[in-house]
Amino acid sequence: MIWQLDLAILTLLIVCAVAAISVKDLLATAILFGAYSFMMCLLWSIMAAVDVAFTEASVGAGVSTVFFVAAVFRTTRRTKD
Amino acid sequence: MILSGGLLLYATKDFPSWGDPTSPASTHVSPRYLKKSLEETRVPNVVTSILADYRGYDTMFETTVIFCAGVACFMLLRTFEKRETDHYYRHVPTGITIHIKGQREIPIESKEFEKIDAIWTPYDLIINTVSRFLVPFIQLFALYVIAHGHHSPGGGFQGGVILGASMIVLAIAFNLRTAVRRLGERIDSIMSALGVFIYSGIGALCVLLGANFLDYKALAQILPIDRVAARSDGILGVEIGVGIAVMAVMICVYNNVASEGRYDEGL
């Protein structure tokens, strides 16, 4: 485990998480959430939990992003709060 | 919020350090699984053997949760009213778009005219061709992930999600009607229930053969294999069930969300 890599990914993870809940544009939130999932997937694979990383990559970064984009497409793009 | 977050961060100080062999979680059953898994189930990937064999109940109800999510999405979103919009068609030989006002339609069997979404999307040859080439490989990879879950990371959940994603790629690159024509709503719903049925059916079969629920050793009585290989094959059967259920539910959720439950026009 390379701690510099670990730290960089953790920083990006926190940036993605904070950005995803503070951005007003919901489409951007969906994409940021996908990026968050991908960072999480990298962290899982660094921690040698490859099965979990695989699930995170396919479910979190892949399909759920598509679901969010589809939901944004059918509702509104701006949040009210 | 900051206070509770701070308290949570403070509490992590008491956690055992990462990969600590003396931590409470890895002193009771984990060593036994790690030692016995290969000789008891002949599955090199311990994660798979724990998920599908030792902790079979958990995974069965996880599959049930996925199935319930699909049913809930269907119940909340699916409507059978038609949308009151004009229809748009593309004349295939010339590429001209036709706008028909009112509720008149060109029959769907027409080879000359192809229906397109009301929110106009340009006809893109590159995207269509690439996705058409890509989808079989995605599906092949998904089947590999399901079947090879014994030896490498993967299994029913991941493989099922990738299979569902291949149909979603089709629905995004072409349109929702193309994907629904390939895998209809009825078959999709049946498959989502079938996956859960395969899983619980294998469990019930073990009961009928005189063992505990989901005790795959009993399958050796009806299959021409020994008891250890029966456990391995039982895991494979269960993974196939999970894969089918997850794939069908993913497609069901996407279709309902993308078309507001109308199954006519998607993303």
Side-chain angles (χ1 to χ4, degrees):
Chain A
M1 189 162 66
I2 310 162
W3 72 267
Q4 288 95 339
L5 195 67
D6 214 12
L7 190 72
I9 292 172
L10 253 176
T11 318
L12 275 172
L13 181 85
I14 292 168
V15 167
C16 283
V18 171
I21 53 171
S22 53
V23 166
K24 292 279 180 216
D25 187 348
L26 284 178
L27 191 62
T29 306
I31 302 299
L32 278 166
F33 190 69
Y36 169 86
S37 284
F38 184 69
M39 294 300 154
M40 203 65 221
C41 159
L42 290 180
L43 272 186
W44 290 127
S45 47
I46 285 174
M47 288 188 276
V50 194
D51 273 273
V52 190
F54 200 168
T55 315
E56 184 79 42
S58 58
V59 180
V63 170
S64 72
T65 310
V66 175
F67 287 170
F68 283 133
V69 170
V72 168
F73 177 71
R74 283 298 173 195
T75 51
T76 59
R77 206 173 147 173
R78 303 280 302 174
T79 77
K80 295 241 163 38
D81 51 24
Chain B
M1 193 182 76
I2 292 168
L3 181 75
S4 57
L7 279 174
L8 283 173
L9 277 178
Y10 178 71
T12 55
K13 201 161 64 71
D14 292 341
F15 278 5
S17 63
W18 184 72
D20 185 5
T22 58
S23 70
S26 53
T27 44
H28 297 289
V29 286
S30 302
R32 190 195 167 277
Y33 289 157
L34 288 174
K35 273 186 210 136
K36 298 272 187 164
S37 175
L38 192 60
E39 60 184 87
E40 281 183 355
T41 62
R42 211 174 287 162
V43 176
N45 187 5
V46 188
V47 177
T48 304
S49 71
I50 287 177
L51 273 180
D53 191 308
Y54 296 110
R55 291 283 174 268
Y57 269 103
D58 288 349
T59 313
M60 190 177 91
F61 284 105
E62 267 173 50
T63 319
T64 317
V65 164
I66 302 260
F67 175 65
C68 289
V71 171
C73 209
F74 178 86
M75 292 286 198
L76 284 174
L77 290 171
R78 186 79 173 108
T79 56
F80 291 95
E81 302 159 13
K82 284 225 162 169
R83 208 189 298 256
E84 299 284 318
T85 50
D86 299 346
H87 296 287
Y88 292 82
Y89 291 90
R90 182 184 293 112
H91 187 234
V92 177
T94 57
I96 297 170
T97 306
I98 298 167
H99 177 186
I100 300 178
K101 288 194 174 144
Q103 291 302 304
R104 284 163 295 169
E105 284 182 66
I106 297 176
I108 196 139
E109 300 84 39
S110 165
K111 287 269 182 284
E112 293 264 294
F113 294 96
E114 181 193 23
K115 196 175 181 204
I116 55 177
D117 290 352
I119 299 168
W120 183 73
T121 42
Y123 179 75
D124 199 324
L125 185 70
I126 296 174
I127 291 176
N128 284 2
T129 315
V130 168
S131 57
R132 191 183 292 149
F133 274 122
L134 213 56
V135 162
F137 290 104
I138 297 176
Q139 288 175 342
L140 199 64
F141 178 62
L143 292 178
Y144 160 77
V145 167
I146 294 179
H148 210 255
H150 288 53
H151 299 269
S152 62
F157 281 98
Q158 293 94 326
V161 166
I162 296 171
L163 261 183
S166 73
M167 291 304 285
I168 293 174
V169 163
L170 210 62
I172 290 177
F174 292 84
N175 48 39
L176 192 67
R177 289 178 300 279
T178 313
V180 171
R181 223 179 297 136
R182 299 278 162 88
L183 186 68
E185 191 192 2
R186 192 183 297 260
I187 298 175
D188 193 52
S189 318
I190 292 171
M191 275 168 92
S192 65
L194 181 75
V196 182
F197 178 75
I198 289 177
Y199 200 134
S200 46
I202 288 176
L205 194 64
C206 300
V207 174
L208 288 179
L209 293 170
N212 288 329
F213 191 66
L214 290 173
D215 190 357
Y216 312 126
K217 283 200 294 288
L219 293 175
Q221 297 169 26
I222 50 168
L223 297 174
I225 41 179
D226 62 355
R227 291 160 78 83
V228 176
R231 279 181 91 157
S232 175
D233 285 6
I235 292 175
L236 180 65
V238 158
E239 296 276 17
I240 289 170
V242 173
I244 291 174
V246 170
M247 178 204 74
V249 167
M250 289 301 148
I251 295 169
C252 170
V253 170
Y254 173 77
N255 287 353
N256 276 310
V257 170
S259 69
E260 293 178 318
R262 290 191 177 84
Y263 275 71
D264 52 354
E265 291 176 3
L267 205 58

